[in-house]
Amino acid sequence: MHISTPVDRALAAPPTRDKHPNAILSKRLARWRRHGAEIAYISLKACGFLGTCWLMAFGLPLLFFLAISGGNLDVLFWQVDNLAARWIAAGEARKLAFSQMIQIVLISSTTLIAMWRLPAFLADVTGNTAHQDNAQ
């Protein structure tokens, strides 16, 4: 199935040599559409990249608790219960300090994950396959 839109036909049309204002305008519109499409593509890829980095950073505490519990869910929930009980019993100053520490850890881990994944993201966006070939 081959679908050809008016925009595809306009871009595939042979260049005209006339200086007709409509021809110049259509070239400019085609160029702006192409730039708009590239900006939309990069924006969507960047949002997906940042979203997955955040999800990975939020998954790290779960991975940590699973690792120290040895994969036993009973021990995992005992640890979560212990953390929740200590949170309820803590004063406002300790809650604030713990919240700030968690924020720093999450932002730092997200930054490190993003730095680790950035070369693959840039290779994907630019269409450069040299990085992907080296990774395999």
Side-chain angles (χ1 to χ4, degrees):
M1 175 188 233
H2 186 309
I3 299 174
S4 179
T5 65
V7 175
D8 295 330
R9 288 190 294 272
L11 291 176
T16 58
R17 296 212 172 247
D18 62 348
K19 299 296 182 187
H20 194 271
N22 287 339
I24 294 172
L25 182 63
S26 70
K27 287 181 185 179
R28 286 184 182 169
L29 286 175
R31 185 179 61 202
W32 279 106
R33 284 184 184 131
R34 191 169 50 246
H35 291 311
E38 290 172 357
I39 288 170
Y41 175 76
I42 291 172
S43 298
L44 287 173
K45 291 294 262 186
C47 288
F49 172 76
L50 292 175
T52 55
C53 287
W54 272 109
L55 285 174
M56 287 179 193
F58 285 134
L60 286 176
L62 177 63
L63 180 66
F64 173 74
F65 280 116
L66 278 172
I68 63 174
S69 69
N72 187 349
L73 289 179
D74 290 334
V75 176
L76 171 73
F77 285 110
W78 286 336
Q79 291 169 351
V80 172
D81 181 52
N82 182 26
L83 183 63
R86 290 178 183 261
W87 175 264
I88 292 170
E92 291 301 317
R94 288 186 69 192
K95 286 181 181 180
L96 180 64
F98 184 73
S99 296
Q100 289 174 347
M101 182 181 67
I102 293 296
Q103 288 174 358
I104 290 171
V105 167
L106 283 174
I107 291 171
S108 300
S109 62
T110 303
T111 303
L112 289 174
I113 290 169
M115 288 172 48
W116 175 53
R117 296 184 61 218
L118 189 61
F121 169 73
L122 292 176
D124 187 30
V125 170
T126 59
N128 186 3
T129 59
H131 178 269
Q132 294 169 353
D133 293 338
N134 291 336
Q136 295 173 355

